[in-house]
Amino acid sequence: MARWAYVNGRYLPHDRAAVHIEDRGFQLADGVYEVVTILDGRFADMDGHLDRLDRSLTALGIPWPVSRRVLERVIRELARRNGIHDGAVYMQVSRGVAPRDFRFPSPRPSSLVITTRRVRRWAQPGQLEDGVPVITIPDIRWGRRDIKTTGLLAQVFGKQQAAEAGAFEAWMVDPDGTVTEGCSSNAWIVTAEGMLVTREPSHKILNGVTRLALLRLARAAELPIEERPFTVAEALAAREAFVSSAGTFALPVTRIDGHTVGTGKPGPVALGLRRAYIDDVLRGSL
Ligand code: PLP
């Protein structure tokens, strides 16, 4: 089956789709992105992702490339053309094409690139039975981590370090010893007392769309919740730990820097929230 991509108004064969060499996304990482999961044919929290795209674009002063309504239509059409029943849509908006200069160019159309990919399984064998390992690394990123920018070099390094250590994810740690988030996920713990803890939204983390959905589900289940920073030591003493993102939903973490978390097996809070989240998407209520 042919694979299509969408670039600036046109559906193109994926292997021939390209942007201009002076696209500011390509040269300066002057752009933002979103990833939306498609689960059993349903787009998970499309509104949440388009709301955050709007916040990212507004924060950087990048105009919408097309209206929100048109963007949503194109996303759905590309997924349809590519026959994606389970997978993900990647969309990227940059400040457009201009001669290379750090300063903002005169007004011009923003660039829009959309691709899709198929996902065969949402968790690898063993991940839900045993949980996944994470490592901790210094957070070397800039001061506006709330913007979902394509400038991801710190996360590229972090993910590579995690892979080399045989870990699933790297949790980034600020100089004060608190965990900010994973390289492509938010970080959560359940303390020994049963308190669900995840860092509050600020410029220090990306406010995950999945994070927000899980918080709503946790509140509905009347779980005790604290939105606050936690340290690596606190995570090591926790009953449970997990990560959240559009592609992992909620995924249990059972080892941190080689140390076992809790019983060493996925806990009921992480698995329960994962189930509830997936059920919501399948019901079409997210
Ligand atoms: N934090 C970072 C740094 C991320 O890159 C991501 C997703 O890519 C997340 C958190 C999770 O966000 P979401 O749940 O919206 O996928």
Side-chain angles (χ1 to χ4, degrees):
M1 185 176 180
R3 191 175 173 200
W4 298 92
Y6 178 91
V7 184
N8 293 328
R10 294 198 295 160
Y11 295 92
L12 299 166
H14 189 272
D15 54 1
R16 284 199 274 122
V19 294
H20 193 282
I21 55 169
E22 287 197 305
D23 191 289
R24 290 177 64 94
F26 172 62
Q27 290 193 327
L28 302 165
D30 189 3
V32 301
Y33 74 105
E34 282 296 328
V35 178
V36 183
T37 288
I38 305 171
L39 195 58
D40 200 25
R42 298 199 184 263
F43 290 80
D45 216 342
M46 175 84 92
D47 280 346
H49 286 282
L50 295 185
D51 285 349
R52 187 174 59 193
L53 179 65
D54 187 50
R55 287 198 297 277
S56 295
L57 289 171
T58 301
L60 297 182
I62 298 177
W64 275 73
V66 291
S67 71
R68 181 170 169 147
R69 197 170 47 81
V70 168
L71 178 60
E72 186 166 342
R73 197 177 335 121
V74 173
I75 290 169
R76 290 182 189 277
E77 171 60 14
L78 188 68
R80 189 195 65 74
R81 284 189 188 215
N82 287 331
I84 307 289
H85 193 66
D86 284 282
V89 176
Y90 173 86
M91 72 201 79
Q92 174 175 323
V93 181
S94 85
R95 205 183 300 275
V97 176
R100 189 173 181 279
D101 182 339
F102 288 4
R103 296 167 298 181
F104 290 4
S106 56
R108 67 202 55 227
S110 306
S111 298
L112 172 61
V113 171
I114 311 175
T115 55
T116 64
R117 81 186 162 87
R118 206 176 296 280
V119 172
R120 291 199 197 290
R121 49 164 74 105
W122 288 104
Q124 298 305 312
Q127 285 184 339
L128 294 181
E129 296 76 15
D130 302 328
V132 297
V134 303
I135 57 168
T136 60
I137 58 170
D139 197 331
I140 59 169
R141 295 176 299 164
W142 73 324
R144 288 303 304 272
R145 304 159 184 169
D146 56 312
I147 302 170
K148 199 165 168 66
T149 156
T150 55
L152 290 170
L153 208 40
Q155 285 102 309
V156 167
F157 276 129
K159 284 282 191 184
Q160 182 59 25
Q161 280 174 263
E164 286 171 12
F168 176 80
E169 174 65 295
W171 278 6
M172 296 176 283
V173 180
D174 255 359
D176 67 358
T178 58
V179 174
T180 52
E181 60 187 329
C183 291
S184 64
S185 58
N186 289 112
W188 304 68
I189 58 170
V190 180
T191 66
E193 296 73 37
M195 183 69 72
L196 180 60
V197 182
T198 193
R199 197 170 182 122
E200 76 283 6
S202 71
H203 288 181
K204 283 183 172 283
I205 64 164
L206 184 75
N207 193 359
V209 173
T210 320
R211 173 193 177 281
L212 288 167
L214 294 179
L215 277 175
R216 285 195 297 272
L217 290 166
R219 284 197 193 99
E222 297 184 353
L223 299 180
I225 304 166
E226 275 177 10
E227 285 186 78
R228 61 165 175 83
F230 60 85
T231 62
V232 176
E234 209 180 344
L236 289 171
R239 193 190 281 180
E240 286 185 43
F242 60 99
V243 294
S244 69
S245 70
T248 60
F249 316 136
L251 186 63
V253 169
T254 46
R255 291 182 84 73
I256 300 174
D257 291 332
H259 302 284
T260 301
V261 179
T263 63
K265 286 288 176 192
V269 175
L271 291 178
L273 286 174
R274 179 185 179 89
R275 188 68 258 161
Y277 178 85
I278 291 173
D279 285 347
D280 258 14
V281 176
L282 295 179
R283 262 199 305 272
S285 48
L286 244 189

